């Protein structure tokens, strides 16, 4: 996906900074075009980049923004993905109870929506 191409395959900080800038531009443009799913993906991608540079609060903020946008527009798969990302962060930061709640929320959201893609992510 474009997110992986921009963030995960880049090895140095300069490319990650560039990926963040590009995704910020995408967020603005996609919002004007009302392409909410793509905009949520771009927000999640920015969070991924911040997580890669260990800017954990910024990553959490962007994952939350993606979740809020997805909630508003009923975009299940990205909502589940962002929720899992927050659960992973909670686990890594020694907050397993919060992680379990987030994982459960992701699974139940996918299950309630009967979304196969989201159910695979949550499994």
């Amino acid at each position: 996906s474009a997110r992986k191409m921009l963030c995960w395959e880049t090895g140095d900080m300069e490319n990650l900074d560039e990926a963040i800038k590009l995704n910020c531009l995408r967020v603005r443009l996609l919002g004007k075009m009302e392409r909410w799913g793509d905009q949520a993906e771009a927000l999640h991608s920015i969070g991924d980049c911040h997580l890669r540079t260990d800017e954990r609060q910024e990553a959490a903020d962007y994952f939350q923004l993606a979740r809020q946008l997805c909630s508003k527009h009923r975009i299940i798969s990205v909502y589940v993905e962002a929720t899992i990302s927050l659960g992973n962060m909670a686990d890594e930061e020694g907050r397993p109870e919060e992680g379990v709640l987030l994982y459960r929320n992701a699974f139940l959201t996918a299950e309630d929506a009967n979304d196969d893609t989201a159910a695979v992510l949550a499994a």
Side-chain angles (χ1 to χ4, degrees), residues 45-115:
S45 183
I46 295 168
D48 282 342
C49 291
H50 281 297
L51 194 57
R52 175 103 176 187
T53 60
D54 209 31
E55 296 170 320
R56 301 184 76 74
Q57 185 56 55
E58 290 85 349
D61 292 345
Y62 279 100
F63 293 150
Q64 286 289 15
L65 285 172
R67 288 180 78 219
Q68 290 168 1
L69 183 66
C70 291
S71 286
K72 182 177 178 183
H73 295 285
R74 303 270 311 136
I75 303 162
I76 303 303
S77 60
V78 182
Y79 177 89
V80 169
E81 190 175 350
T83 302
I84 290 170
S85 293
L86 288 167
N88 291 341
M89 287 180 65
D91 278 349
E92 291 167 6
E93 293 169 2
R95 295 175 284 128
E97 301 84 11
E98 184 180 340
V100 167
L101 290 174
L102 286 160
Y103 296 140
R104 183 174 294 135
N105 175 266
F107 177 76
L108 293 174
T109 300
E111 191 174 63
D112 288 347
N114 201 20
D115 185 294

Side-chain angles (χ1 to χ4, degrees), residues 21-64:
K21 289 176 191 170
L22 287 171
N23 278 303
C24 286
L25 289 172
R26 285 181 63 220
V27 166
R28 285 196 292 276
L29 178 63
L30 293 166
K32 289 179 182 179
M33 297 169 64
E34 296 185 3
R35 290 180 47 191
W36 310 124
D38 293 333
Q39 187 182 37
E41 279 282 343
L43 288 167
H44 190 272
S45 183
I46 295 168
D48 282 342
C49 291
H50 281 297
L51 194 57
R52 175 103 176 187
T53 60
D54 209 31
E55 296 170 320
R56 301 184 76 74
Q57 185 56 55
E58 290 85 349
D61 292 345
Y62 279 100
F63 293 150
Q64 286 289 15

